[in-house]
Amino acid sequence: MMSGTAGRLEGGAGAGAGAAVTRKFGYSLLYIVLIAVAALQLFPLVWLLFFSLKNNQEVFNLPALSLPMNPHWENYAKVWNVGNINLYFFNSVWITVVATVLTVIFGSLVTYAVTRMKWKGSSFVLGLFMVAMMIPVHSTLIPLFSIFNKVGLTDHPLSLILSYVAFNMPITIMILLGFYYALPREVEEAAVIDGCSVNRMFFRIVFPMTSSVLATTAIINMIYNWNEFIFVNTFISSDAYKTLTVGVQNFIGQYTTDWGAIGATLMISILPILITFLFLSNRIVEGIAAGSVKG
Amino acid sequence: MDKVMSNKKIIALYVMPALLLILAIVYIPIVLTGYYGLNKWNGIGALTFIGLDNYQALIKDQTFWNSAWHSLQLAVFSTLSLVIYLAIAMVLAARIKGANLFRKIYLIPMLLSSVAIAQLWLRIYHPTNGIVNSLLESIGIANPPAWLAEPSLVLFALFIPILWQYAGFYILIYYAALKNIPTSLEEAAKIDGASALQIAWKIKLPLAMEVIKVTIVLAVVGSLKYFDLIFVMTDGGPNGSSEVMASYMYHQAFRAYDFGYGSAIGFFLLVICLVITWVIRKLTATKDSIQYS
């Protein structure tokens, strides 16, 4: 298998023994590079895990790369209740879920109307969504802040939910588009002949048929919403509504010297994503590849 | 069928929620950004129309040009790093065992929040306890620099985590593109005696060109609006040496309470992103319809 792959990799025709050795060598070299890159990608996270399990004395006195010999799991228990991390965590969860569900439903409805139904202006509307992808979030920040301020939505979770839904809508529609275009029309035709209404057709037939791509878009949305920073940082001022990204930032501001606590907080903020990735990496990879390329 | 599928009420019902949201949250604010930029405004009181004064001030503002220069440097860095990503993707796409696993591992940093990444890298760069300087000291470099406190080093030091964060994303995109190339082309070239390098250069690269163009747009525009990581790690410092356009906008509006000036910067940022997207697309336009899924 190894040499077969290497042969294909290197071109292969008329290889002598010397060439085979060179190929093997080149092949190993490629692997070394790939593994080194993988190590570089993972190493900072492993180090984070290490210092999240140490106390300050161990962080400052032992070599930076030493293993946590007596893992201080209590760091995690300690920070969970201190500095509102648990509150921020639950805010992140519900705001992420609500925004994701709304985005996926609204996005599906638009995509259905644009791809399956006949109306003037459908391509214009689709264009509006696609162009929005090019618009930097920062250019909308000041007016959004003043609008939300006027209608009493600053320091209100709705400001976050509305922003997340709007800004994730383009990429959600983009991922859904290809799937909707590929759906066979026969099912719908048969349903219409049977006297099925559009609503019924969409909710009973089409929507369930898209469940796999819906899962992909939902996961992509969740990752973006979970990690969002600038809107929370700008719109939300009271602790009751802060999400984890900003909460972590504040917490660290107050406890800059306790590395173990900081490490544990950071780990808590990234664990849900890492666990999701562990189980659903194929969907995530698919979604990112499908959604980003046309950006 | 046609009658059912062009029911105006249903279409409006399906399209309106999302359309209204995107108009209210994206398009109306964009128009307002342009309008606020023509005013003097502290964010609370009344707006005073001052025409193009903010833009004239912007043109003369050395700090703004410095931040634009930093953004441009990031864009150049990011575009250059695409070469590395493409090379790695080429290797991965060459039917290598474990390619899937590598691709997934590379992607992990991109899934994490910029705040977590920034806080982690602040510690990686810590002058005494960080891994960078610990490693440098262990190989005998006595006084390694405080990376984020050196005006001449800070931008480069910030670029490393950015490179780290986005590696998997671009490798994934390139990988998908390369996998889409029909293997028959490669096999035909092999029969004609082409080497792996020749195949990469003469067949794969041209066929992946469409996607390469898209990634250049993504890298350039992404760099121009880059914010989170820099905001958390250095907040534009030391002394403005890592200020970028988006962070300068934020500082002017939400710290200096000059919302009119901040909006002018925001509008400039918008125009520059749209223009650059358009220019790169035009320069590299051939055909636009490639499907990757």
Side-chain angles (χ1 to χ4, degrees):
Chain A
M1 181 65 209
M2 283 275 279
S3 59
T5 321
R8 265 183 275 146
L9 192 72
E10 293 291 327
V21 172
T22 325
R23 273 207 307 276
K24 272 231 160 109
F25 177 74
Y27 198 63
S28 322
L29 199 68
L30 288 183
Y31 260 99
I32 291 170
V33 172
L34 290 179
I35 291 169
V37 176
L40 281 176
Q41 290 304 94
L42 289 180
F43 182 62
L45 297 173
V46 173
W47 185 63
L48 171 64
L49 176 68
F50 282 4
F51 78 71
S52 77
L53 295 172
K54 293 176 178 177
N55 61 23
N56 259 2
Q57 205 188 347
E58 290 160 335
V59 170
F60 297 138
N61 297 334
L62 298 174
L65 297 176
S66 63
L67 287 165
M69 293 312 264
N70 313 301
H72 291 272
W73 293 105
E74 70 270 17
N75 284 344
Y76 286 78
K78 193 174 76 190
V79 296
W80 181 249
N81 295 314
V82 177
N84 291 330
I85 296 300
N86 50 356
L87 176 67
Y88 302 146
F89 188 91
F90 289 118
N91 283 340
S92 275
V93 170
W94 80 261
I95 289 173
T96 295
V97 169
V98 171
T100 300
V101 169
L102 290 178
T103 315
V104 168
I105 292 175
F106 290 167
S108 295
L109 288 170
V110 172
T111 314
Y112 184 76
V114 167
T115 57
R116 316 300 279 189
M117 302 187 72
K118 290 189 175 58
W119 47 295
K120 271 185 217 161
S122 67
S123 58
F124 174 74
V125 167
L126 182 62
L128 272 182
F129 285 103
M130 294 300 110
V131 170
M133 209 159 352
M134 306 290 172
I135 291 170
V137 168
H138 309 91
S139 301
T140 64
L141 194 66
I142 294 171
L144 275 180
F145 179 74
S146 78
I147 292 170
F148 286 141
N149 220 356
K150 276 201 190 96
V151 298
L153 283 182
T154 37
D155 206 20
H156 191 290
L158 204 54
S159 63
L160 299 179
I161 292 171
L162 293 176
S163 310
Y164 294 175
V165 176
F167 275 100
N168 285 335
M169 194 61 73
I171 197 157
T172 304
I173 293 175
M174 183 179 259
I175 301 175
L176 293 173
L177 267 184
F179 197 89
Y180 271 80
Y181 278 131
L183 280 180
R185 287 207 177 264
E186 287 77 8
V187 184
E188 280 161 290
E189 274 160 18
V192 169
I193 289 164
D194 286 347
C196 184
S197 73
V198 178
N199 278 329
R200 206 176 151 81
M201 196 152 64
F202 176 74
F203 287 104
R204 287 295 176 80
I205 302 171
V206 176
F207 200 62
M209 275 166 82
T210 61
S211 60
S212 68
V213 71
L214 283 182
T216 304
T217 48
I219 293 162
I220 300 293
N221 266 288
M222 280 184 190
I223 292 171
Y224 290 164
N225 294 342
W226 184 267
N227 291 333
E228 204 284 324
F229 171 70
I230 189 166
F231 286 142
V232 194
N233 195 47
T234 312
F235 300 154
I236 303 294
S237 48
S238 58
D239 281 336
Y241 302 127
K242 275 179 190 155
T243 63
L244 208 46
T245 43
V246 168
V248 162
Q249 181 65 7
N250 290 357
F251 176 81
I252 289 173
Q254 290 162 29
Y255 300 85
T256 29
T257 50
D258 190 345
W259 280 47
I262 289 166
T265 318
L266 291 176
M267 283 303 289
I268 290 173
S269 81
I270 66 177
L271 269 177
I273 300 286
L274 288 182
I275 291 168
T276 313
F277 188 66
L278 202 61
F279 290 106
L280 298 166
S281 53
N282 281 331
R283 284 210 182 288
I284 294 174
V285 167
E286 234 173 69
I288 291 175
S292 53
V293 174
K294 290 163 216 159
Chain B
M1 177 80 185
D2 277 3
K3 198 172 156 226
V4 177
M5 295 311 274
S6 51
N7 182 332
K8 290 229 163 56
K9 261 189 205 158
I10 301 240
I11 290 167
L13 196 69
Y14 281 21
V15 173
M16 276 309 156
L19 189 61
L20 289 178
L21 255 178
I22 203 135
L23 289 176
I25 304 287
V26 180
Y27 284 102
I28 290 173
I30 287 300
V31 176
L32 286 176
T33 299
Y35 173 66
Y36 291 165
L38 302 173
N39 287 270
K40 191 166 176 50
W41 187 39
N42 63 6
I44 309 161
L47 285 93
T48 319
F49 189 81
I50 52 168
L52 293 173
D53 283 10
N54 280 328
Y55 291 93
Q56 279 168 353
L58 198 61
I59 290 170
K60 289 183 204 132
D61 184 349
Q62 192 54 45
T63 318
F64 171 73
W65 288 113
N66 284 342
S67 69
W69 169 236
H70 299 147
S71 295
L72 185 71
Q73 279 176 280
L74 283 181
V76 172
F77 274 140
S78 305
T79 311
L80 290 179
S81 57
L82 293 179
V83 179
I84 308 172
Y85 303 144
L86 182 61
I88 295 175
M90 285 251 184
V91 173
L92 280 184
R95 292 187 212 94
I96 246 179
K97 253 197 205 169
N100 254 330
L101 182 67
F102 282 122
R103 195 167 57 123
K104 284 174 192 168
I105 292 175
Y106 297 164
L107 196 64
I108 291 175
M110 140 111 202
L111 306 172
L112 311 180
S113 73
S114 295
V115 173
I117 289 176
Q119 289 293 352
L120 171 59
W121 280 81
L122 273 177
R123 271 136 202 99
I124 288 174
Y125 281 130
H126 192 278
T128 50
N129 306 316
I131 17 180
V132 172
N133 283 1
S134 299
L135 283 175
L136 289 176
E137 274 163 15
S138 72
I139 58 167
I141 294 166
N143 285 311
W147 299 92
L148 299 173
E150 290 284 342
S152 58
L153 292 175
V154 65
L155 217 51
F156 176 73
L158 285 170
F159 176 65
I160 301 294
I162 298 175
L163 185 85
W164 179 77
Q165 182 178 12
Y166 286 101
F169 174 70
Y170 288 109
I171 292 172
L172 169 63
I173 295 178
Y174 287 143
Y175 179 87
L178 293 167
K179 277 287 174 191
N180 259 11
I181 296 173
T183 47
S184 54
L185 289 173
E186 200 181 331
E187 269 145 27
K190 255 177 230 161
I191 292 167
D192 291 343
S195 72
L197 270 182
Q198 283 172 319
I199 291 172
W201 191 252
K202 297 247 170 79
I203 295 175
K204 290 185 180 169
L205 206 59
L207 285 172
M209 210 31 106
E210 283 304 311
V211 172
I212 294 172
K213 289 170 195 167
V214 174
T215 55
I216 293 172
V217 175
L218 285 178
V220 172
V221 173
S223 306
L224 294 180
K225 59 186 189 191
Y226 208 75
F227 177 79
D228 292 8
L229 193 104
I230 292 175
F231 183 74
V232 176
M233 283 182 77
T234 64
D235 200 18
N239 200 16
S241 52
S242 66
E243 192 87 279
V244 288
M245 284 191 284
S247 65
Y248 191 51
M249 182 217 84
Y250 191 90
H251 288 144
Q252 287 300 319
F254 295 99
R255 297 253 174 86
Y257 297 105
D258 195 342
F259 281 71
Y261 197 53
S263 297
I265 303 169
F267 194 72
F268 187 90
L269 182 66
L270 168 77
V271 171
I272 232 182
C273 285
L274 293 180
V275 167
I276 285 187
T277 308
W278 186 79
V279 168
I280 298 177
R281 283 277 163 94
K282 271 280 167 216
L283 281 180
T284 56
T286 38
K287 50 186 187 314
D288 258 333
S289 57
I290 293 194
Q291 296 291 323
Y292 295 94
S293 46

